[in-house]
Amino acid sequence: MFDFKDKVVIVTGGTRGIGYETVLSFCRSQANVILFGSKSSSVNEACSKLKTCGYEVLGYYPNLLDYEEVKKTIDDIYSKYGHIDVLINNAGVSDSKKIEDTSSEDFAKVVDINLKAIFNVIKSVIPYMKEKNFGVILNTSSMVSIYGQASGVSYPASKFGVNGLTKSLALEFAPYNIRVNAVAPGIIKTDMLSNVSDEVLKPLIKSIPLGRIGLPSDIANAFLFLASDMASYITGVILSVDGAAKN
Ligand code: NAD
């Protein structure tokens, strides 16, 4: 349905869950996809899996918290392809500890990967997008960035930050034809839910008005749409993809 032929698409946290499904969806839409992961083994595993599906995907594992390392990786991708069209910032960690149980180091860790990493990748990519007067940047937020989260402080704080960064950069880069949006997933069936007990999860799923848990493909489809020319007049938006869940 979507055609990304000749487009270069980077997906962070592309080795599993929403990120992997997003990589697969863009491959099916003929993009040149580059995935980032946190370590060589998971990156190699994901790339091999994609190869068995017939897709050649380049993988990197820069430390997303190290701006110089990220910049070197982005420079390398640009020198290979000569353009970077779409960046999907998907890597993230969750946390549901109450503030009394959260150390300031715990807080910083979650904010670093969910927010500072996005800053580092965008800062590295933006000069190349500006040069071409074209680009799409998609960030991964969460429904907790809209409603908050009763237990947990660092995760919602980081995702509210993602929304602020998205809306501000959309304004800053609109004159360069670079669109910046975010997708705010609801409850999606991935490894991120593995530490949530069935006891907690079941009633949550039951309360979702659309009557089912979200799938990684629900989020990948939103990324495809927002990255496509069909969304060429959409920027600065936080798109909820949550079956109308309210937490
Ligand atoms: P997941 O745990 O399966 O995937 C997370 C990805 O982030 C993995 O590929 C992991 O390698 C990567 N990552 C984590 N820490 C990293 C680090 N330090 N450096 C580099 N990469 C790192 O979970 P998911 O559900 O696929 O999550 C993807 C995104 O969706 C996250 O940003 C998450 O906050 C968001 N999200 C998920 C849900 C959900 O219910 N699953 C809901 C709302 C938002």
Side-chain angles (χ1 to χ4, degrees), residues 13 15-18 90-92 113 140-141 155 159 185-186 188 190 192:
T15 55
R16 64 171 198 245
I18 292 169
N90 161 78
I113 188 62
T140 311
S141 185
Y155 186 67
K159 296 297 188 179
I188 311 299
T190 70
M192 197 164 266

Side-chain angles (χ1 to χ4, degrees), residues 220-234:
N221 288 340
F223 283 140
L224 281 172
F225 166 66
L226 286 173
S228 76
D229 288 344
M230 288 174 90
S232 63
Y233 202 53
I234 299 178

Side-chain angles (χ1 to χ4, degrees), residues 114-207:
N114 289 355
L115 191 54
K116 184 178 160 184
I118 294 184
F119 167 87
N120 284 341
V121 189
I122 293 179
K123 191 171 160 65
S124 305
V125 158
I126 214 76
Y128 296 130
M129 290 186 168
K130 274 170 102 172
E131 198 180 295
K132 304 287 179 195
N133 203 44
F134 179 81
V136 178
I137 297 172
L138 301 174
N139 299 321
T140 311
S141 185
S142 165
M143 72 176 175
V144 304
S145 78
I146 293 153
Y147 306 109
Q149 182 175 301
S151 174
V153 59
S154 50
Y155 186 67
S158 68
K159 296 297 188 179
F160 270 82
V162 171
N163 294 1
L165 179 134
T166 301
K167 285 183 172 286
S168 301
L169 295 184
L171 296 176
E172 184 176 341
F173 296 122
Y176 301 94
N177 193 31
I178 299 168
R179 297 187 292 106
V180 188
N181 292 296
V183 171
I187 303 167
I188 311 299
K189 197 174 176 191
T190 70
D191 288 356
M192 197 164 266
L193 297 183
S194 59
N195 52 2
V196 183
S197 70
D198 266 4
E199 205 183 351
V200 173
L201 200 56
K202 273 190 179 155
L204 270 180
I205 294 170
K206 223 173 158 186
S207 72

Side-chain angles (χ1 to χ4, degrees), residues 83-119:
H83 54 108
I84 296 171
D85 305 290
V86 179
L87 165 65
I88 301 180
N89 287 303
N90 161 78
V93 286
S94 67
D95 186 69
S96 55
K97 288 201 292 288
K98 289 185 184 300
I99 192 163
E100 288 98 330
D101 302 321
T102 304
S103 67
S104 68
E105 289 78 18
D106 292 338
F107 184 84
K109 220 167 147 183
V110 174
V111 174
D112 271 0
I113 188 62
N114 289 355
L115 191 54
K116 184 178 160 184
I118 294 184
F119 167 87

